[in-house]
Amino acid sequence: MSRFLLQRPEPSRMIRTGLMGVLAVFLLISLAARLAYLQLYRGEEFRVMSEDNRIRIVKIPAPRGMFFDRNLEIVVDNRPSLDVKVAEEFVDDLNETLGLISSLTGVDEATLRENLEAERRTQPKYRPLTAASDLSRDELAALMTRLWRINGVTVEVRPVRDYVRGPLAPHLFGYLGEISDDELETERYGGYEMGDIIGRRGIEETWDRELRGVDGSLHVEVDSTGRELVVLGETEAVPGNNLVLTIDADLQEFARLQMEENEYAGAVIAMDPRTFEVLALVSAPDFDPSLFARGVTGDEWALLVTDPRHPLENKCISGQYPPGSTFKIFTATAGLEEGVIDDETPLYCPGYFNFGGHSFGCWKAGGHGRIKLHRAIRESCDVFFYKTGDMVGIDRLAFYCSGYGLGTLTGIPLANEKPGLLPSTQWKEEYFGEPWYPGETISCAIGQGYVLVTPIQLLSAFCALANGGTVYTPMVVKEVQSPEGETLTVYEPEKVGTVPISEEHLEMIKRGLYGAVNEPGGTGWRARVEGMNVCGKTGTAQVIAGTMSSAYLPYELRDHAWFVCFAPLEDPEIAVAVLVEHGGFGGTASAPIAGAVVREYFRLTGALSDE
């Protein structure tokens, strides 16, 4: 037997050894998982925080490009905004710090908290957050004297929009806001970062990449409490490019005041029919764009979005309305080109038109009697155009209207333009699954029924009529210039179509429009301008069917008032569309404003005297 006896380990010892092994493995796995979490998931955050303990990179927002009007007057500029920033990782007691900021600046402590909370939702944790923005130097004076003693609090300067002439054209200019998470995911905003400010609506949105410039940065050494010690380096911001707009600031302001002083809701647009350059674009009521420059509050936003007159909507391009009797020039075009009428064709108006068991009334209850094209346009006879539309038919009517650009986008480079509606037999079959009834053509022939247009569409159509039949894309920007004033891009008129109308027939309609403003019995006489041959057409678009006078109806059920014109007859250089929502008769509410804008335009150009 061997001298050495093999001894079996005790069972309890084996169990302890096994448990220790399992525990060691578990600890190693936990350690590895923790290291992976810190390195892979939060590594970037800690790297930045680590560097920020020594060097803080402060973003220098680039000044956005300026807006000039067509006469090179600055209408949108930039000004400095003084903001209070809080770097929370350096703050020992946030409540105490916010209380101190509030007592020194006068900003309500609850507002400071709300601002920080909003910033936390959009900003990385390691960046200083904005607690208060756009403070005056007086508001900041007390804070600045004690800033060195408050850990984690700094004051930074950023450029914000300065609307030099106040709410001159907020719907055209647009406003600014912070980019959203959803927008960051889109191709359009490739290269943008969280926290970037982008254009919202209007020209700010369409030309955002031209306007935004390139942000710069400051490399600042800070101590462990976040205090800035020394600037180590700076990358200067590059300002954005400037834009020369097509509007005339003085004409824009004049048109805006016409709507504001009358407390009207609606739209006024002026355009050069030779180039389709927009000279003025007013949507009423408007809003103060500076609210967005300093940061709109929740209460202010609620007021804007709940206002029943929709101040944020650009009614010039997004509002869709029945065109009323302004549509009669398109019915006249179809009738002339299809050969169902000429300028000598007499039609009889007894004050109504019976069709399919329904009586369609004329606005003149006693009727116009025997009437021809010129007088029918001048006096806006409904029956003449009921009969013309019936002879043409809805599909041929739609064909000529589409030639003027109705029923489709004009292409004006502003977001949210609406296409209007141009009905046809095919459209009704596709949309309702029903056939077109001939009686429906009667209403459409005078701009009622299914027909819808936007003010920019209707004005573009009248501009094409004025210039001899060419349809262009409306323009709002003439040039892009570098910050040094070098011309980078020049926009030229872009032809998109030709109206299918002969020169002879076009002149017949223009003469009718001249008569509507300048001859006895004309419905647009309130747009008359002494010394200038204005051509125009009234329109009164029903909101609800019926014979009751609009004046006796609640505001929201009253008719919309239209007037569209151009001048002078001989060589048109301005066209104006005015829509007054629920304004009643177009000749009463809209024609005077259109005439005043035409008169002001020629006064500004020197063609008419100041008297």
Side-chain angles (χ1 to χ4, degrees), residues 257-525:
L257 290 176
Q258 294 297 307
M259 297 296 280
E260 182 178 276
E261 291 171 357
N262 285 287
E263 298 182 352
Y264 284 154
V268 180
I269 317 174
M271 197 151 70
D272 185 336
R274 298 167 296 187
T275 61
F276 279 43
E277 292 178 2
V278 173
L279 303 172
L281 189 145
V282 176
S283 182
D286 56 23
F287 60 91
D288 184 356
S290 63
L291 296 179
F292 296 90
R294 64 162 169 74
V296 65
T297 67
D299 290 342
E300 291 167 340
W301 178 252
L303 283 175
L304 287 170
V305 298
T306 58
D307 190 323
R309 301 205 306 168
H310 308 294
L312 290 179
E313 180 188 15
N314 186 347
K315 298 179 172 69
C316 299
I317 64 170
S318 301
Q320 301 181 106
Y321 310 87
S325 292
T326 60
F327 194 80
K328 290 171 181 172
I329 68 163
F330 311 120
T331 303
T333 298
L336 290 167
E337 291 299 315
E338 290 293 302
V340 301
I341 60 169
D342 61 27
D343 59 340
E344 292 298 324
T345 302
L347 297 176
Y348 185 70
C349 170
Y352 58 87
F353 176 55
N354 291 327
F355 187 93
H358 181 75
S359 182
F360 296 85
C362 183
W363 69 266
K364 189 174 182 179
H368 291 88
R370 283 171 58 86
I371 189 168
K372 299 178 183 177
L373 177 64
H374 182 87
R375 184 175 157 226
I377 295 175
R378 184 183 73 197
E379 299 180 17
S380 199
C381 174
D382 292 327
V383 172
F384 184 93
F385 292 100
Y386 288 150
K387 293 181 177 180
T388 301
D390 179 43
M391 291 186 284
V392 170
I394 189 63
D395 287 336
R396 296 307 293 167
L397 182 58
F399 169 77
Y400 291 100
C401 289
S402 63
Y404 278 101
L406 302 185
T408 187
L409 302 177
T410 66
I412 188 170
L414 300 174
N416 294 327
E417 184 188 8
K418 297 294 189 298
L421 177 58
L422 192 56
S424 64
T425 55
Q426 182 181 351
W427 167 81
K428 191 178 179 192
E429 182 64 38
E430 292 176 353
Y431 195 79
F432 290 111
E434 297 178 358
W436 183 268
Y437 300 108
E440 294 172 318
T441 305
I442 309 304
S443 296
C444 291
I446 63 162
Q448 294 288 165
Y450 296 113
V451 182
L452 293 174
V453 299
T454 63
I456 190 67
Q457 276 183 329
L458 195 54
L459 182 61
S460 295
F462 271 72
C463 281
L465 182 74
N467 70 22
T470 302
V471 182
Y472 297 99
T473 301
M475 298 169 57
V476 294
V477 173
K478 291 170 69 72
E479 287 184 15
V480 178
Q481 295 183 347
S482 70
E484 294 76 29
E486 179 187 2
T487 299
L488 303 176
T489 306
V490 176
Y491 295 99
E492 300 289 347
E494 180 184 359
K495 180 180 176 179
V496 292
T498 302
V499 179
I501 185 173
S502 70
E503 186 174 341
E504 177 188 9
H505 292 157
L506 190 144
E507 286 301 318
M508 288 180 189
I509 295 173
K510 291 171 71 172
R511 285 288 172 185
L513 296 177
Y514 171 83
V517 176
N518 300 282
E519 296 176 359
T523 55
W525 63 271

Side-chain angles (χ1 to χ4, degrees), residues 273-274 465-468 503 506-507 510-511 513-515 518 529-536 565-574 598 602 607-608:
R274 298 167 296 187
L465 182 74
N467 70 22
E503 186 174 341
L506 190 144
E507 286 301 318
K510 291 171 71 172
R511 285 288 172 185
L513 296 177
Y514 171 83
N518 300 282
V529 176
E530 186 71 28
M532 197 60 59
N533 290 329
V534 178
C535 306
C565 65
F566 54 84
L569 167 67
E570 301 78 12
D571 185 16
E573 56 184 273
I574 183 173
V598 170
F602 286 111
L608 293 177

Side-chain angles (χ1 to χ4, degrees), residues 218-230:
L218 275 180
H219 293 232
V220 183
E221 184 177 357
V222 297
D223 63 16
S224 59
T225 65
R227 294 190 189 92
E228 296 178 355
L229 301 177
V230 64

